[in-house]
């Protein structure tokens, strides 16, 4: 893929259509009610020598690499100061990894090296607490000792047996509504849950967070 610089021309219909479309996207993003017409777009002076334009251009170059599936070494971190001017380019470091030895279940014996970008993704619209507990036992051979949503604890092994028994058949979304006193918004697509897991020897197993899909 080769990128070629393009000079902005207000007499070019394709250029004007692009600027008008970008203006409308920005208006929608910031809830500006009046859409941009070709006439309004023609009065827009594109930012050329500004830090914002520079950062946007550098970010787009990195996105092209994502689309091309480039390795980590191909990406670049940039520091720029247009007042000096100073441009410094460096390679990014790989994200830190945490190695977790999975004690049992279908993935027993596997070593999972996960990063902060990794998660355990589950279909959560109708997922119950009992099904979530069973998932960790069957998939990882781990016992769920605590489940939390933000600052709210949804389940813990030291909670009263009566409370645990009542919540086991409940959906996770219903438990969240009960604990936080707020229903889950209908437009929410994901819920992030933090889990504490342990093996048969009561040793903690460090696995990523859980992301529930609600759509």
């Amino acid at each position: 893929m080769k990128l070629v610089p393009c000079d902005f021309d207000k007499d070019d219909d394709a250029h004007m259509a692009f600027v008008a479309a970008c203006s409308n996207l920005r208006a929608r993003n910031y809830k500006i009610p009046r859409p941009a017409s070709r006439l309004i777009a023609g009065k827009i002076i594109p930012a050329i020598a500004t830090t914002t334009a520079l950062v946007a251009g550098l970010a787009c170059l990195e996105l092209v690499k994502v689309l091309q599936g480039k390795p980590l070494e191909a990406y670049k971190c940039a520091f720029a100061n247009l007042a000096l001017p100073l441009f410094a380019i460096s390679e990014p470091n790989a994200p830190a990894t945490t190695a977790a030895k999975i004690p049992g279940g279908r993935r027993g014996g596997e070593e999972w090296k996960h990063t902060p970008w990794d998660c355990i993704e589950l279909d959560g619209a109708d997922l119950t607490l009992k099904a979530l507990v069973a998932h960790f036992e069957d998939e990882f051979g781990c016992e769920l000792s605590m489940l939390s949503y933000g600052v709210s604890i949804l389940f813990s092994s030291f909670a009263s047996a009566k409370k645990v028994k009542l919540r086991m058949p409940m959906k996770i979304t219903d438990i969240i509504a009960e604990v936080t006193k707020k229903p889950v918004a209908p437009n929410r697509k994901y819920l992030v849950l933090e889990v504490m897991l342990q093996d048969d020897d009561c040793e903690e197993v460090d696995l990523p967070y859980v992301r529930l899909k609600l759509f």
Side-chain angles (χ1 to χ4, degrees), residues 84-102:
L84 295 178
L86 173 65
F87 302 93
I89 306 295
S90 63
E91 292 185 4
N93 293 323
T97 59
T98 300
K101 186 75 172 181
I102 298 177

Side-chain angles (χ1 to χ4, degrees), residues 71-89:
L72 179 65
E73 297 77 23
Y75 295 88
K76 295 293 182 285
C77 295
F79 173 83
N81 188 328
L82 295 183
L84 295 178
L86 173 65
F87 302 93
I89 306 295

Side-chain angles (χ1 to χ4, degrees), residues 39-127:
L39 180 61
I40 296 175
K43 297 179 181 179
I44 296 174
I45 301 174
I48 299 175
T50 67
T51 305
T52 303
L54 174 63
V55 172
L58 292 173
C60 288
L61 288 176
E62 299 306 299
L63 288 174
V64 171
K65 297 173 187 176
V66 173
L67 293 174
Q68 293 177 326
K70 295 288 186 180
L72 179 65
E73 297 77 23
Y75 295 88
K76 295 293 182 285
C77 295
F79 173 83
N81 188 328
L82 295 183
L84 295 178
L86 173 65
F87 302 93
I89 306 295
S90 63
E91 292 185 4
N93 293 323
T97 59
T98 300
K101 186 75 172 181
I102 298 177
R106 284 187 285 269
R107 299 176 58 175
E110 176 185 335
E111 186 180 52
W112 186 3
K113 293 183 178 180
H114 56 87
T115 74
W117 299 101
D118 295 317
C119 67
I120 301 171
E121 190 166 270
L122 300 172
D123 292 327
D126 298 311
L127 185 70

